[in-house]
Amino acid sequence: MPARTRGPQGQRAGSKGDLIEGRRAAAEALELGLPITRALIQKDSGAVDPTLADLARRLAANGVEVERVARPVLDSLSSHGAHQGIMLKVRPYRYASLHDIIEAAGSGNALVIVLDHVTDEGNFGAIVRTAEVVGAAGVVVAKSRAARVGVGAYKTSAGAVMHLPIAQVPNLASALDELKEHGFWAGGATEHARDLVWDAPVAGRLALVMGSEGSGISRLVRQHCDFEFKLPQRGQVESLNVAQATTAIAYEWLRRDMAAGEGAQAVSEPAGDGYDTPLDLPDTSDFDFPETDLG
């Protein structure tokens, strides 16, 4: 793999994950509504490039600053030399605090997904997408040795990172303790567990802990979990990757939450008059019934 070139300030171009290069990637960024702040488009050298001209028009229509630059400028910023005449800069993601996620959870049933050093940006984005779809209150990640919200996460989450609070914390164990102080139970998904997910209390206010792709949940974080469980498996291949496993467990939480809500609604409905079928009874409010001596 070729080494990344360095920008004018001596920093690696694209090392912060906030640069998008290539025509297809630029079009996808527009469709997803990514927070694009600036566009660098190669100057025309003779004939007008219709694809670049169309992208420039769409970017400008979305309020993006468009700057025409010479090809060497794009070459110097490109991470892999395939910019195709266009590069976009995306506004750095603003992380939420753990307190923000706890507030978003409210006081009722809620799901918070805690990722113990998940490093693959594709898996991370897919997990955020799942979390948003099932209605989770947020996702908690570590500040170090973990995937961050960059361009790849924007794409693999289908833009879900813009609709869900994601908190970076310095210590996951302490974060779990704080979540538990607010009524959450910490459940760790690990292949070393004895109980299956069907028998575990994956419901209510749940902090779902998912481990890294290689080593799973760390020893310290496991010590702060209230219970552990695993997904059942009949096949011979390795277990699901972390994104697939998170989706399966998150939907089990959602299934139980929806079932609990339907049960509560059934209990709150009036019992009726005790008849199996409704009767069309006459209105007797105007009738004058004689008093009867029952004594």
Side-chain angles (χ1 to χ4, degrees):
M1 180 180 293
R4 289 182 175 179
T5 57
R6 293 181 179 269
Q9 286 76 38
Q11 296 179 347
R12 282 184 167 184
S15 63
K16 293 183 178 180
D18 56 2
L19 291 177
I20 297 174
E21 54 184 295
R23 302 183 182 192
R24 182 174 178 179
E28 289 178 347
L30 277 167
E31 292 169 3
L32 288 172
L34 268 60
I36 304 168
T37 60
R38 188 182 179 197
L40 300 178
I41 298 180
Q42 184 174 325
K43 291 179 180 178
D44 297 326
S45 56
V48 175
D49 188 312
T51 302
L52 288 180
D54 179 63
L55 285 170
R57 178 188 57 79
R58 292 171 59 192
L59 287 162
N62 280 271
V64 178
E65 176 190 352
V66 178
E67 183 180 353
R68 294 284 182 173
V69 298
R71 181 182 178 91
V73 175
L74 296 174
D75 291 341
S76 68
L77 294 172
S78 176
S79 62
H80 48 73
H83 53 74
Q84 299 176 310
I86 184 170
M87 296 187 72
L88 308 179
K89 183 172 179 60
V90 178
R91 183 174 65 247
Y93 182 78
R94 295 184 62 180
Y95 288 92
S97 67
L98 183 60
H99 179 71
D100 293 329
I101 291 180
I102 291 172
E103 279 198 341
S107 58
N109 292 351
L111 174 67
V112 173
I113 298 177
V114 180
L115 302 182
D116 187 4
H117 297 98
V118 171
T119 57
D120 182 84
E121 200 170 81
N123 281 336
F124 174 52
I127 289 170
V128 173
R129 183 175 184 174
T130 290
E132 200 281 330
V133 168
V134 302
V139 175
V140 179
V141 299
K143 280 189 174 180
S144 62
R145 295 183 292 112
R148 62 182 296 278
V149 180
V151 171
Y154 275 109
K155 292 175 65 176
T156 55
S157 73
V161 295
M162 295 183 288
H163 305 288
L164 186 77
I166 301 172
Q168 276 188 332
V169 297
N171 189 298
L172 290 173
S174 297
L176 285 177
D177 287 342
E178 187 171 348
L179 286 167
K180 289 194 280 187
E181 288 175 3
H182 288 83
F184 284 87
W185 290 87
T190 170
E191 61 183 8
H192 303 296
R194 290 183 296 177
D195 293 338
L196 295 179
V197 63
W198 319 135
D199 305 315
V202 184
R205 290 174 71 80
L206 174 67
L208 171 59
V209 183
M210 304 298 299
S212 65
E213 295 88 349
S215 55
I217 304 174
S218 64
R219 178 184 57 82
L220 178 61
V221 173
R222 283 185 67 183
Q223 290 175 351
H224 286 256
C225 290
D226 297 306
F227 62 93
E228 295 181 340
F229 60 91
K230 62 183 177 181
L231 287 168
Q233 180 175 341
R234 286 181 173 176
Q236 300 303 312
V237 299
E238 290 188 25
S239 58
L240 302 176
N241 68 31
V242 64
Q244 294 168 327
T246 302
T247 298
I249 299 165
Y251 268 94
E252 173 62 10
W253 174 86
L254 179 61
R255 183 190 69 82
R256 298 189 191 187
D257 189 60
M258 294 178 68
E262 291 170 359
Q265 182 179 2
V267 170
S268 64
E269 290 176 350
D273 56 12
Y275 291 99
D276 292 333
T277 57
L279 298 178
D280 186 14
L281 299 176
D283 182 5
T284 60
S285 60
D286 294 332
F287 281 79
D288 184 17
F289 289 100
E291 294 184 2
T292 304
D293 184 4
L294 298 179

